Amino acid sequence: STQDMPGRSVTNPSGEGNMRGPQDAFTEHLRNNISQLRRQFRTGSFTAEICTANTRAKTEYAICYDTALAPADVVQTLKQRLAGVQIPVLLDSTYFASFLKQDKLNLFPAAAYTERPATACARICEAKSLSLYPAAACMVVPSFFAEHFECLDDYASGAVFAGLIRILKYLAFLLAVSGRALRHGRGLCAGDHPYPAFDQAGTGRGIHAAAPMLEMLCVTLLLEIVREAGLRAPQSISHTVSLVGALIIGETAVSAGIVSVPVLTMAAAATIATLAVPSLYEQSILFRFAVIVLAGCFGVPGMACAALTILAMACGSEPFGY
């Protein structure tokens, strides 16, 4: 018998840090996740429909919404799209996300994710629909660009302070995407080094032929490799990866004249800024490489084209007709 299968108990959320509010997170058991929602959402209009995914494993998932708030056409469209998905296995809500995008070229996600039942209940009160899976996160649809810069602490704080934090998150996203490209000066084709003061002082680039764009690309790639290695490595040696990465990309590279101090500083600032909006981490990395290449090859016109493209993607998405 496998009726009483062992499972992980309810713990604190690992990817969504908040100072206030409930500190419990979803688990890998669908019924436990529904019970956590029901405990905080006690109205009789709350509905949780259990469905079976069209997969070989016949995985169950639940569509949760408030019948008094959620538009019927949105719920029906969500049901039809999820029922029409045919994949071999369903292990997480992100497996369904790519099938909900109308524009495949738009890099912004078509759905939001949360591992906190409190956030999920707040989205249900905003007439959203949830898709729960046997995983530690649920999918929220429809999702809007501005919601990636929100958190529960915004509603527990004063309006002035919450507005300031919201503005800082927008600035952090801009810094994460375009901060490194600002060091390119007039571009790769101009052949001029944008660091004359550092060259004269002998503390910056030194004497080497690497172009600013190539230097920034190399630093960005190394930082991403260190991040991926620290994430995938066994926990017992993950601190070693961080230590070696700090020595190689940090003081040693600067002392050897391989990387300049301004480039390393801007790369570190952009990397930290990326963590301020974790739900847009993948998009920030993709946009960052594109902006670096365009700014390095075409200068200010390249950055303008990249900015307009990102703005068009953010404004051009229409999740479920909104």
Side-chain angles (χ1 to χ4, degrees):
S1 176
T2 58
Q3 295 300 317
D4 189 13
M5 294 180 291
R8 184 171 61 92
S9 60
V10 177
T11 57
N12 295 336
S14 59
E16 291 183 64
N18 279 321
M19 298 176 58
R20 300 179 178 89
Q23 298 298 322
D24 53 345
F26 288 121
T27 65
E28 287 76 18
H29 288 271
L30 182 61
R31 266 67 180 182
N32 291 350
N33 295 341
I34 297 177
S35 66
Q36 291 187 75
L37 288 178
R38 170 59 68 183
R39 184 178 61 183
Q40 300 187 30
F41 206 89
R42 300 172 59 87
T43 178
S45 57
F46 173 76
T47 302
E49 299 184 13
I50 306 296
C51 307
T52 301
N54 191 9
T55 63
R56 181 173 295 275
K58 301 301 180 182
T59 306
E60 285 187 336
Y61 65 92
I63 300 177
C64 305
Y65 57 95
D66 190 338
T67 55
L69 298 176
D73 55 341
V74 174
V75 176
Q76 186 64 26
T77 302
L78 177 62
K79 293 179 182 178
Q80 294 176 357
R81 292 188 184 181
L82 295 184
V85 175
Q86 297 183 4
I87 52 179
V89 65
L90 176 65
L91 301 178
D92 190 72
S93 58
T94 55
Y95 285 45
F96 273 161
S98 60
F99 295 94
L100 299 179
K101 297 183 65 173
Q102 295 179 345
D103 186 5
K104 301 299 182 181
L105 297 179
N106 196 329
L107 298 181
F108 286 105
Y113 308 96
T114 181
E115 55 180 312
R116 300 175 66 96
T119 303
C121 289
R123 296 307 183 192
I124 293 179
C125 290
E126 296 175 355
K128 303 294 183 66
S129 301
L130 306 180
S131 294
L132 281 175
Y133 303 84
C138 74
M139 184 173 65
V140 183
V141 292
S143 173
F144 307 111
F145 176 76
E147 293 176 348
H148 295 287
F149 303 89
E150 299 176 358
C151 65
L152 284 180
D153 286 342
D154 294 345
Y155 301 92
S157 305
V160 177
F161 180 78
L164 176 62
I165 297 300
R166 192 77 58 85
I167 293 175
L168 290 179
K169 289 183 179 180
Y170 277 101
L171 294 178
F173 177 72
L174 294 177
L175 177 62
V177 172
S178 60
R180 304 186 184 189
L182 296 177
R183 301 300 308 177
H184 290 335
R186 282 176 286 179
L188 177 64
C189 299
D192 296 331
H193 298 302
Y195 311 99
F198 290 98
D199 288 337
Q200 295 174 3
T203 58
R205 294 177 56 85
I207 301 176
H208 60 84
M213 183 187 71
L214 299 179
E215 183 180 4
M216 185 61 77
L217 283 177
C218 292
V219 173
T220 304
L221 286 174
L222 286 176
L223 287 175
E224 291 304 316
I225 291 174
V226 171
R227 182 200 67 84
E228 190 68 17
L231 179 64
R232 308 301 175 186
Q235 191 173 6
S236 58
I237 63 174
S238 59
H239 63 280
T240 305
V241 176
S242 301
L243 179 60
V244 173
L247 291 176
I248 294 177
I249 305 179
E251 184 177 358
T252 305
V254 173
S255 302
I258 302 175
V259 179
S260 63
V261 176
V263 169
L264 187 60
T265 302
M266 186 59 67
T271 301
I272 296 175
T274 305
L275 303 178
V277 191
S279 59
L280 292 177
Y281 185 87
E282 298 178 3
Q283 289 73 24
S284 299
I285 298 300
L286 296 175
F287 290 144
R288 181 183 305 164
F289 282 106
V291 170
I292 290 176
V293 173
L294 290 176
C297 295
F298 305 103
V300 176
M303 289 194 63
C305 292
L308 290 176
T309 302
I310 296 174
L311 184 62
M313 288 186 181
C315 299
S317 59
E318 295 184 3
F320 291 87
Y322 288 93

